[in-house]
Amino acid sequence: MNEFDRSNGNGALRQQQTPVDQRALYDRFGAMAYGVILQILPQTHLAQEALLQVFTSTQLASFSNTTVNPAISIIRVARSKALELKGRLMERDTACQEPFSSTGSYSPESVFDLSFRQGYSFEVISEQSGLSKPELLKAVRDFIHVFRRS
């Protein structure tokens, strides 16, 4: 067997192992990832498409050998895929509404929504709202505490 045949065999072996790992990750973390995606994309057909992209992503294979908790990695990939899909949909929609409050009142939930679900950076939110970055971080922290209690 020459080097080319051996490398092809190793590649085929890796391709056979990866789907098994992805299925195991899906079985273990699929519901969690779907919940994260639904927070960003409430349309079920789009959320399912994003979920499929998460577990067929090549990024998952790179996380299998790291020391990072796989749940954290899957949440990151799910969020990025959902925001990517949402961004593509918003580009198509030319009548985008302004996401920031015109009243100047920002609840912890709205700050969390802007940062996590809509993907705006704290700098942009701070600039538009007039709140400092520490105030924004405190608002996100407060919302997470209220959310975890409910």
Side-chain angles (χ1 to χ4, degrees):
M1 181 183 275
N2 64 24
E3 188 63 33
F4 181 73
D5 291 337
R6 276 183 277 186
S7 67
N8 282 342
N10 290 340
L13 182 61
R14 271 191 305 242
Q15 288 174 351
Q16 289 173 354
Q17 290 174 346
T18 302
V20 173
D21 294 339
Q22 288 174 333
R23 277 187 242 131
L25 286 173
Y26 176 80
D27 289 342
R28 188 168 175 199
F29 301 110
M32 177 192 62
Y34 189 62
V36 169
I37 293 168
L38 278 175
Q39 293 287 317
I40 299 167
L41 291 169
Q43 302 90 349
T44 56
H45 66 283
L46 295 174
Q48 291 170 356
E49 182 181 330
L51 183 67
L52 182 64
Q53 290 177 6
V54 168
F55 288 99
T56 57
S57 171
T58 58
Q59 293 172 323
L60 285 183
S62 66
F63 292 133
S64 64
N65 295 330
T66 63
T67 59
V68 176
N69 185 344
I72 294 170
S73 302
I74 289 173
I75 289 171
R76 287 179 182 156
V77 173
R79 182 175 179 270
S80 69
K81 294 292 182 184
L83 287 173
E84 179 183 311
L85 187 59
K86 185 176 183 174
R88 281 188 276 156
L89 291 172
M90 288 180 74
E91 286 176 1
R92 290 185 210 157
D93 186 18
T94 57
C96 237
Q97 295 178 352
E98 183 65 29
F100 296 102
S101 171
S102 59
T103 63
S105 62
Y106 288 89
S107 68
E109 183 177 3
S110 65
V111 171
F112 180 82
D113 182 61
L114 287 170
S115 65
F116 184 79
R117 295 179 185 137
Q118 295 185 30
Y120 291 98
S121 70
F122 286 121
E123 289 77 21
V124 171
I125 298 170
S126 175
E127 197 175 280
Q128 293 290 326
S129 68
L131 298 172
S132 68
K133 191 171 178 180
E135 290 173 321
L136 293 175
L137 293 174
K138 184 182 181 313
V140 170
R141 181 178 168 265
D142 292 344
F143 176 74
I144 289 172
H145 284 298
V146 169
F147 183 76
R148 289 180 76 186
R149 284 187 217 137
S150 62

